[in-house]
Amino acid sequence: MRMHAMPPLPLPARWAVRRDPPGDGAANMAADATLAAWARAHACGVVRVYGWARPTVSFGRHEAVAGRFTAASLAAAGVDAVRRPTGGRALLHHREITYAVALPLPAAIGWRAAYAAVNARLVAALRALGIPAELAPAPPGAEGAAALCFDAPAAGEVVVHGRKLVGSAVWRDGDGYLQHGSLLWEDDQALLVRAAAVPVPPPPPAATLAALAPQLTPETVAAALVDALTAPPAGHPAGERVAYAASPAQVEAEARARARLADPAWLWRR
């Protein structure tokens, strides 16, 4: 079954929006890692849009990278590295728009329903901008384990003409849900080939916003994402925007997460 045929999840009517300037890998991932706790505490969804200060590869939470990448190979390629709090495969962040969505997610609702609902709104945002985005169907047979995030689209990912445009990863923590991902402005994934310590097959060309809609600006795309992701769900005539404000406890939690994510022991644990 195609993931976009699933019934839509009743997403929250209340949303907060967080916009951050470009940051380093540990700071970006620490901010995302603590969003679900904020969403649970405030009983609303939260959308974060941000960028990256330097080219950075993010590894999936449980991805085995020892031997494929090393600190020396990354430094030689001029690439930073961080390990995500979410799953998935290696992804190069550079010239892109990055989004994060956190939700309170009751135990009765599976994470795949949340994933399908968020991706459907990403498609809606892109189509509103004139980009013919759609959700990828399930490939024939079993899905293989791709070496890199942009090697091939998986079922339910956002593609244009069969080429992946958005790479996303998720993590569920009890009744909290985090999904974040990259909308490529330019295709920089080949940097991963140079950053690897062993030969890595180059990923196929990805779809990019620069090629699909060169008249757009990053701010226009970011605004469309926020509007689509925070739209009121069916049955609600209007949504509600609440202010995002981090409590002292939230700031402290984010600082702790940043210290953990910046620790080489966490980065190279697998």
Side-chain angles (χ1 to χ4, degrees), residues 173-224:
D173 181 13
D175 58 354
Y177 174 80
L178 169 66
Q179 177 174 332
H180 56 184
S182 303
L183 287 81
L184 300 187
W185 200 269
E186 298 282 1
D187 185 3
D188 295 305
Q189 299 309 301
L191 271 174
L192 289 173
V193 177
R194 299 210 306 266
V198 297
V200 174
T208 67
L209 293 169
L212 292 165
Q215 76 281 5
L216 297 177
T217 65
E219 185 56 41
T220 300
V221 176

Side-chain angles (χ1 to χ4, degrees), residues 9-246:
L9 170 73
L11 292 171
R14 298 175 71 245
W15 288 89
V17 177
R18 174 174 171 174
R19 295 292 300 272
D20 288 330
D24 63 38
N28 276 336
M29 294 299 94
D32 284 357
T34 56
L35 282 185
W38 193 97
R40 288 195 302 264
H42 293 80
C44 74
V46 56
V47 175
R48 177 174 176 250
V49 181
Y50 59 97
W52 299 77
R54 280 177 44 80
T56 303
V57 56
S58 70
F59 302 133
R61 185 186 187 103
H62 297 305
E63 183 181 8
V65 297
R68 290 200 299 135
F69 297 90
T70 65
S73 69
L74 292 167
V79 174
D80 292 347
V82 68
R83 190 175 284 273
R84 297 189 300 271
T86 55
R89 300 290 175 177
L91 173 62
L92 195 287
H93 306 278
H94 186 25
R95 294 177 293 178
E96 66 176 53
I97 297 172
T98 317
Y99 79 92
V101 173
L103 306 168
L105 192 64
I109 300 177
W111 70 265
R112 291 183 184 276
Y115 180 73
V118 171
N119 282 3
R121 291 197 172 188
L122 294 176
V123 167
L126 292 165
R127 287 182 175 174
L129 295 169
I131 297 171
E134 60 184 351
L135 299 180
E143 293 185 24
L148 304 175
C149 178
F150 271 81
D151 273 347
E157 289 192 301
V158 179
V159 299
V160 177
H161 305 313
R163 293 166 64 182
K164 193 169 177 176
L165 174 62
V166 185
S168 297
V170 306
W171 188 255
R172 181 171 192 157
D173 181 13
D175 58 354
Y177 174 80
L178 169 66
Q179 177 174 332
H180 56 184
S182 303
L183 287 81
L184 300 187
W185 200 269
E186 298 282 1
D187 185 3
D188 295 305
Q189 299 309 301
L191 271 174
L192 289 173
V193 177
R194 299 210 306 266
V198 297
V200 174
T208 67
L209 293 169
L212 292 165
Q215 76 281 5
L216 297 177
T217 65
E219 185 56 41
T220 300
V221 176
L225 288 177
V226 169
D227 287 345
L229 289 167
T230 62
H236 287 260
E240 179 185 358
R241 291 270 185 96
V242 300
Y244 180 90

